[in-house]
Amino acid sequence: EVQLMQSGAEVKNPGESLRISCKGSGYSFPSHWIGWVRQMPGKGLEWMGTIYPGDSNVRYSPSFQGQVTISVDKSINTAYLQWGSLKASDSAIYYCARQWGTTTRQDYNLFDPWGQGTQVTVSS
Amino acid sequence: QSVLTQPPSVSGAPGQRVTISCTGSSSNIGAFYPVHWYQHLPGAAPKLLIYDDINRSSGVPDRFSGSKSGTSASLAITGLQAEDEADYYCQSYDNRLSGWVFGGGTKLAVL
């Protein structure tokens, strides 16, 4: 069974750094893109960025470029999302999801399955 | 403001049929990018329902169906059940933004 397991909830102070993780299992981790999606309280889903574990190629949404860093350690089938200096507005649930498609076109990709989500709370 | 526009909410009685629209533009749905639909139950991870406009994901009942025309797509749910109460999101790709985009989400209430 294809699964993505995310790290647990975090409570941080503004200005602190944070890295959350997403571990894949049940499939060839290096061969499938992993995307990160944010859900702010009471809001919808927003694509943040996507990484290809095979070569660590990353694509960022313009809205998140420079705000977060996406990385991967394919030796342990794990992708990461990190912040250098958290703000209160970073409080949200963050999901990772495997991206794949029925064609070779990456832009046709969907998100499936999803991790269980990581709640990040930033408050002083 | 989402690139893909969905109604904030829809509702229906058990057994009825509802549709959820997803309106895009010439840089996403109108550019022939496929539309995918997700169901997001409270406290759970989003789940793929429909992929490539019309195909049901494994295990999804045939009460759920997708369609697309021009710059819009729709998700239809027939024979509404209480367990269908959830948020529903459409997703596609936008070549102007060079990235994947989601609709704003639609909350389905089963009355």
Side-chain angles (χ1 to χ4, degrees):
Chain A
E1 181 190 4
V2 177
Q3 282 189 321
L4 294 174
M5 187 62 63
Q6 297 186 229
S7 49
E10 301 275 2
V11 179
K12 292 288 189 179
N13 293 312
E16 290 187 325
S17 62
L18 174 65
R19 188 177 76 168
I20 63 175
S21 66
C22 169
K23 183 176 176 63
S25 62
Y27 71 100
S28 175
F29 184 80
S31 303
H32 292 82
W33 295 82
I34 293 280
W36 286 95
V37 176
R38 182 176 77 175
Q39 184 176 36
M40 297 181 74
K43 302 297 184 183
L45 305 173
E46 301 173 87
W47 172 67
M48 303 175 69
T50 293
I51 189 163
Y52 187 71
D55 61 7
S56 298
N57 182 24
V58 183
R59 294 179 58 176
Y60 290 99
S61 162
S63 299
F64 292 91
Q65 178 83 49
Q67 308 304 308
V68 297
T69 301
I70 295 172
S71 61
V72 69
D73 185 340
K74 65 182 179 182
S75 70
I76 56 171
N77 288 3
T78 301
Y80 302 98
L81 177 65
Q82 68 181 72
W83 294 260
S85 180
L86 286 161
K87 304 183 286 290
S89 57
D90 292 319
S91 296
I93 299 175
Y94 293 88
Y95 293 99
C96 64
R98 188 181 70 158
Q99 287 187 253
W100 61 275
T102 57
T103 74
T104 56
R105 289 189 59 161
Q106 186 198 357
D107 47 3
Y108 283 21
N109 280 358
L110 51 87
F111 295 74
D112 173 68
W114 296 61
Q116 81 276 22
T118 296
Q119 174 75 58
V120 173
T121 303
V122 184
S123 174
S124 54
Chain B
Q1 206 95 351
S2 301
V3 171
L4 304 179
T5 301
Q6 298 180 232
S9 65
V10 297
S11 62
Q16 282 191 332
R17 178 182 187 269
V18 296
T19 61
I20 298 172
S21 61
C22 174
T23 303
S25 67
S26 58
S27 62
N28 43 69
I29 298 175
F32 304 104
Y33 290 106
V35 176
H36 316 294
W37 290 91
Y38 303 88
Q39 179 189 60
H40 193 191
L41 294 163
K47 170 190 165 186
L48 177 68
L49 274 183
I50 300 288
Y51 65 95
D52 293 349
D53 305 332
I54 61 171
N55 299 294
R56 277 184 299 278
S57 184
S58 176
V60 174
D62 58 8
R63 301 186 297 105
F64 293 86
S65 63
S67 63
K68 187 171 85 174
S69 178
T71 58
S72 294
S74 290
L75 173 70
I77 311 171
T78 58
L80 267 182
Q81 300 180 3
E83 67 204 48
D84 298 333
E85 257 197 9
D87 294 325
Y88 292 85
Y89 293 89
C90 59
Q91 175 253 310
S92 188
Y93 186 88
D94 190 284
N95 58 28
R96 195 174 302 152
L97 298 174
S98 294
W100 293 275
V101 290
F102 289 91
T106 298
K107 183 174 293 292
L108 168 62
V110 180
L111 305 172

